[in-house]
Amino acid sequence: MSTKGSFGDSDEKNVVDVGVTHVAVADKEVDTAAQLAAALDEELSPEEANRIRKKIDWHVLPLMCTLYWVQFMDKTTLGSSAILGIRTATHLTTNQYNWLGTIFYLSYLVFEYPQNLALQRFPVGKWMSANIFVWGVALCSHAACKSFGGLFAVRLILGMCEGSITAGFLIVSSMFYTRKEQTLRVGYWFLMNGTAQIISGFLSFGTLHIKTKNFEPWQWLMVITGGLTIIVAVLYWFLFPDSPTNAWFLTQDERAKAVKRIQENQTGVENKHFKIEQFYEALTDPKTWLFALFSALDNIPNSLTNQRQIIVSSFGFTNLQTTLLGCVDGVIEIVTIFTGVQLAARYKDSRAYVGAIYFVPNILGVLLINFLPWSDKVGLLFGQWLTGVGTTGFVLSLSWLSSVTAGHTKRVTVNAIMLIAYCVGNASAPFMWQAKYRPRNHVPWIIIGISYVICPLLLLVIRALLARENKKRDAEPVDDKYEDFYIEVVLPDGTRTERRVDKEFLDLTDVQNRDFRYVL
């Protein structure tokens, strides 16, 4: 057997007892799970794989869902506080209030790539836990702020810490789950945003009834949500796994099987070393920028997070009614994300189609808000609710991007670019909501409507691009360039031997690995 090429700083080596020339690779060049996978001789039965998945679900998914619920509830505290008195208490102008929404995402944008590099370099669970703790302290500190300057500072800190959450979840989801499972799991933890809106609505309603001297309802909201966040940070430090290769709840044998279970992804688990060639590949890959454009445009309407309560209140509802009606937004998000990811997982290669279809109600909602008479507050409210359906498209794009990108450095780079684009959309959008456009806000709603039209078209373009690449690879001859790479492993009895590393654990990118096929 002859070596077909070199790999990183590998070195050629003769194995006399089998008469084979092959390439021995350094640990840093391959995936962290390579040794575990190479040491596992037995085939993994579907029943055993399913048992491992259930065990992972039981220990990982509740923590992911809890954190995403808490972090989104924390993000909506600014919008909820708008009708609880924060603007009056801190003497905020309309422009200053918009800046509080923008600085969060500008900070998120600036720190997103450093956060992704840290997630690659340090243990994922511990790094996220540290960020969650700082996040919780900053949220509690809102209650002490008396002016725009103080709020600006704590919102900046929130944005800095937020950058680790979604990026970390995407990495963890790809470590523990198959590509089909990722679609569902990303949907499950993302739909906790809807749960957060419901609980936040009831919390806001409850704080409106707290009567304390020198401590207003919006301050109580900040302290309560910040305290919950700190509790979650402690739980993450002790319970959240960094990787299937060292997950505390799996035995050594189960860790190897957990790694073997996701081999079909052809993306491996992780590699702790930054590879500059993968970074450049991420920057020159067209799909990176198509997903980024989609992310930026799809999150321009996300400025509604901080404006929704103000808009609903302007329809003529009281503060109490507005607070409770905000719970409906959460119910809509839960139902639409759940049904969307179920459809995408059930029907093969349907991600783009499902995401595009779910944008239709959003477009209808924008039309209703723009053209219904201002006196029809119920119709306007329904139009507002319809604009929450299309969140499904963004959720599907997150899991889709993670499933079609291989090579750990490339994956963290692409994730960072998409989330930076997410920040661009979120940071620029608040300035659409100017006092001069009230009460109808036609200009911002038209911009949102245009975004809702372009986004589904982008999903379909991405699908066509990936489908064409799959056909091109199907027509290529078999690529055996990376078949003869070996790594030293320690067997259960303590003996050392060399085992071939499956291509899936060589930390190859989706471009380098010609056997990689894109899910659609």
Side-chain angles (χ1 to χ4, degrees):
M1 187 183 298
S2 61
T3 300
K4 301 297 180 182
S6 62
F7 180 65
D9 54 5
S10 327
D11 56 290
E12 283 209 13
K13 188 174 181 180
N14 291 319
V15 180
V16 179
D17 57 328
V18 293
V20 187
T21 300
H22 63 256
V23 176
V25 290
D27 288 353
K28 71 176 185 178
E29 290 295 331
V30 298
D31 195 271
T32 55
Q35 286 198 351
L36 277 175
L40 186 68
D41 288 325
E42 61 187 280
E43 287 295 319
L44 190 61
S45 68
E47 294 77 18
E48 182 66 0
N50 193 47
R51 184 187 72 81
I52 298 293
R53 178 191 59 76
K54 288 181 178 179
K55 193 170 185 179
I56 292 169
D57 276 343
W58 181 253
H59 289 88
V60 174
L61 207 54
L63 285 169
M64 295 177 80
C65 289
T66 300
L67 177 57
Y68 224 71
W69 157 59
V70 168
Q71 69 96 26
F72 190 81
M73 184 170 65
D74 292 350
K75 281 198 295 188
T76 61
T77 51
L78 181 63
S80 300
S81 296
I83 62 167
L84 295 178
I86 192 172
R87 289 185 294 175
T88 303
T90 56
H91 316 290
L92 296 177
T93 65
T94 299
N95 195 49
Q96 287 175 332
Y97 179 79
N98 289 339
W99 259 110
L100 294 180
T102 295
I103 190 56
F104 175 90
Y105 288 105
L106 284 178
S107 176
Y108 191 140
L109 184 156
V110 170
F111 287 98
E112 183 56 36
Y113 196 60
Q115 284 280 19
N116 274 265
L117 292 179
L119 286 166
Q120 180 180 18
R121 179 67 182 84
F122 303 115
V124 175
K126 301 299 184 291
W127 182 255
M128 289 176 65
S129 176
N131 277 274
I132 299 163
F133 183 82
V134 175
W135 169 291
V137 173
L139 193 62
C140 290
S141 299
H142 279 62
C145 297
K146 304 296 182 183
S147 65
F148 169 71
L151 289 172
F152 187 92
V154 291
R155 296 291 296 177
L156 186 148
I157 295 171
L158 290 186
M160 176 181 68
C161 298
E162 163 83 2
S164 69
I165 308 303
T166 301
F169 276 14
L170 290 175
I171 291 171
V172 170
S173 296
S174 66
M175 284 181 181
F176 283 95
Y177 295 108
T178 66
R179 294 199 282 190
K180 181 179 179 180
E181 292 165 356
Q182 285 175 44
T183 301
L184 289 171
R185 271 61 186 183
V186 171
Y188 292 158
W189 52 256
F190 204 98
L191 66 78
M192 297 309 291
N193 287 359
T195 306
Q197 290 183 57
I198 296 170
I199 296 175
S200 181
F202 284 114
L203 269 178
S204 299
F205 182 78
T207 55
L208 270 172
H209 293 80
I210 298 176
K211 307 297 181 184
T212 51
K213 188 177 181 181
N214 299 324
F215 211 73
E216 299 186 25
W218 67 268
Q219 292 172 303
W220 277 112
L221 181 65
M222 296 298 184
V223 170
I224 292 169
T225 52
L228 288 172
T229 304
I230 292 172
I231 292 171
V232 171
V234 174
L235 291 175
Y236 258 68
W237 183 268
F238 292 105
L239 299 178
F240 197 73
D242 300 311
S243 161
T245 62
N246 61 7
W248 64 270
F249 56 85
L250 297 175
T251 64
Q252 190 67 14
D253 180 62
E254 287 173 335
R255 291 171 185 173
K257 290 176 179 177
V259 167
K260 197 73 174 176
R261 206 179 69 84
I262 63 161
Q263 186 169 351
E264 66 182 68
N265 293 355
Q266 301 197 63
T267 57
V269 174
E270 65 175 341
N271 185 292
K272 291 296 185 183
H273 300 273
F274 182 83
K275 298 182 178 180
I276 191 66
E277 69 277 9
Q278 291 193 13
F279 173 76
Y280 289 139
E281 184 181 306
L283 297 182
T284 56
D285 192 334
K287 72 176 184 292
T288 300
W289 302 107
L290 286 171
F291 274 109
L293 180 59
F294 171 84
S295 180
L297 291 175
D298 189 45
N299 282 284
I300 288 175
N302 207 34
S303 59
L304 288 168
T305 300
N306 291 327
Q307 299 291 334
R308 200 178 297 274
Q309 303 275 45
I310 298 172
I311 293 170
V312 172
S313 180
S314 72
F315 293 159
F317 295 100
T318 67
N319 285 349
L320 285 175
Q321 290 171 332
T322 299
T323 301
L324 291 176
L325 287 171
C327 298
V328 179
D329 296 296
V331 173
I332 291 170
E333 188 161 338
I334 291 170
V335 172
T336 54
I337 292 177
F338 183 80
T339 55
V341 297
Q342 289 289 335
L343 288 171
R346 176 172 296 184
Y347 298 103
K348 185 180 179 182
D349 294 336
S350 62
R351 291 166 177 80
Y353 296 143
V354 173
I357 289 170
Y358 271 68
F359 273 104
V360 174
N362 289 52
I363 297 170
L364 176 60
V366 171
L367 292 174
L368 289 175
I369 291 172
N370 272 290
F371 294 110
L372 282 177
W374 191 243
S375 58
D376 187 0
K377 67 177 184 179
V378 175
L380 292 169
L381 183 62
F382 270 90
Q384 171 90 351
W385 283 339
L386 283 173
T387 61
V389 175
T391 307
T392 304
F394 184 66
V395 175
L396 290 173
S397 74
L398 285 175
S399 61
W400 193 11
L401 178 65
S402 186
S403 298
V404 297
T405 308
H408 199 69
T409 298
K410 181 177 181 181
R411 192 156 65 232
V412 297
T413 302
V414 169
N415 285 347
I417 291 172
M418 186 170 185
L419 292 172
I420 286 171
Y422 159 88
C423 295
V424 170
N426 277 289
S428 59
F431 294 101
M432 301 186 303
W433 305 95
Q434 299 291 330
K436 61 184 177 183
Y437 299 135
R438 293 177 184 171
R440 295 305 304 243
N441 290 306
H442 284 305
V443 171
W445 280 114
I446 289 172
I447 295 172
I448 288 173
I450 293 171
S451 299
Y452 285 151
V453 171
I454 297 175
C455 283
L457 296 178
L458 282 172
L459 290 177
L460 298 176
V461 168
I462 293 170
R463 189 187 193 281
L465 179 72
L466 297 181
R468 185 180 67 182
E469 179 62 23
N470 282 344
K471 289 181 180 179
K472 177 182 175 182
R473 295 186 183 195
D474 289 341
E476 292 176 353
V478 176
D479 179 20
D480 58 359
K481 181 179 179 180
Y482 299 101
E483 293 300 323
D484 300 327
F485 290 90
Y486 288 71
I487 190 172
E488 186 178 80
V489 299
V490 180
L491 299 180
D493 61 5
T495 60
R496 292 180 177 272
T497 186
E498 287 187 326
R499 291 283 178 86
R500 189 175 71 85
V501 182
D502 291 324
K503 185 184 292 188
E504 294 86 349
F505 298 107
L506 285 174
D507 194 37
L508 300 175
T509 69
D510 52 283
V511 173
Q512 290 174 318
N513 182 3
R514 306 309 292 175
D515 290 337
F516 190 98
R517 293 298 181 270
Y518 298 104
V519 293
L520 305 175

